[in-house]
Amino acid sequence: RALAISADGTARQAWEYSTGVPWGRLLDIAVTGGADPGPGGPGQDVAIAWSDTPPGLGVPGPPDGHVLLLDAATGATRWQVRTPGYPVLAAADDQRGELAVVQLADPTLSVGYTLTGLSYATGQTTVTDKRDGALPFSLAVGRGPDDGWAVGAVDATMDDGYYNPAD
């Protein structure tokens, strides 16, 4: 649910979005500069990452996650994509017009993540990079013209039955 605040400070529900499933887990939210600038300049969109698939479903299982982009003013869905991993982190890159999404692999099957870029305009994948043996915990987007994306992760590979904290 999105709230609108009036000039006198009164809050009211502006719109709501339903996943249409009885069980779903919200994983992350990001506010973007907007997919459709329109005549009044760029608006804002809200990217929502969620999953309705419990871990350990097996292989091949259905896609585990959903990422959707909503118009912040109206709640209208701009696009929705299914993801093969749990979209646990999301960050807006307004300079590139892309949503950076970190998809965690099903932890009951493997350890790793995939960093994916989704176009604000269409939701199409623009870039993807996979990393095995690491658990992501943060995602940052640079602000300069040459800045990129950074995923903070911990090495989760084992050496002789133990984790190596130095990696």
Side-chain angles (χ1 to χ4, degrees):
R1 293 186 175 153
L3 296 178
I5 309 294
S6 67
D8 66 0
T10 305
R12 67 171 176 77
Q13 181 176 321
W15 53 266
E16 89 178 1
Y17 175 82
S18 174
T19 62
V21 298
W23 180 90
R25 176 175 291 161
L26 176 66
L27 298 172
D28 207 359
I29 296 175
V31 176
T32 76
D36 181 15
Q44 287 188 323
D45 292 329
V46 178
I48 299 175
W50 65 281
S51 177
D52 60 347
T53 306
L57 201 63
V59 175
D64 297 313
H66 305 262
V67 178
L68 65 130
L69 193 67
L70 304 171
D71 180 292
T74 66
T77 302
R78 293 196 185 277
W79 50 257
Q80 179 172 199
V81 296
R82 305 276 317 251
T83 64
Y86 297 96
V88 294
L89 300 169
D93 186 342
D94 291 338
Q95 189 161 317
R96 290 181 178 84
E98 297 173 352
L99 182 69
V101 178
V102 175
Q103 301 171 53
L104 181 65
D106 186 333
T108 64
L109 302 175
S110 67
V111 175
Y113 67 88
T114 301
L115 175 61
T116 304
L118 302 174
S119 165
Y120 284 178
T122 64
Q124 295 293 313
T125 299
T126 58
V127 65
T128 186
D129 187 35
K130 186 175 180 183
R131 169 82 197 280
D132 293 323
L135 293 173
F137 58 83
S138 65
L139 172 62
V141 171
R143 299 201 191 282
D146 298 324
D147 292 342
W149 304 339
V151 176
V154 63
D155 185 343
T157 57
M158 297 186 82
D159 187 18
D160 293 326
Y162 297 96
Y163 291 109
N164 182 355
D167 288 345

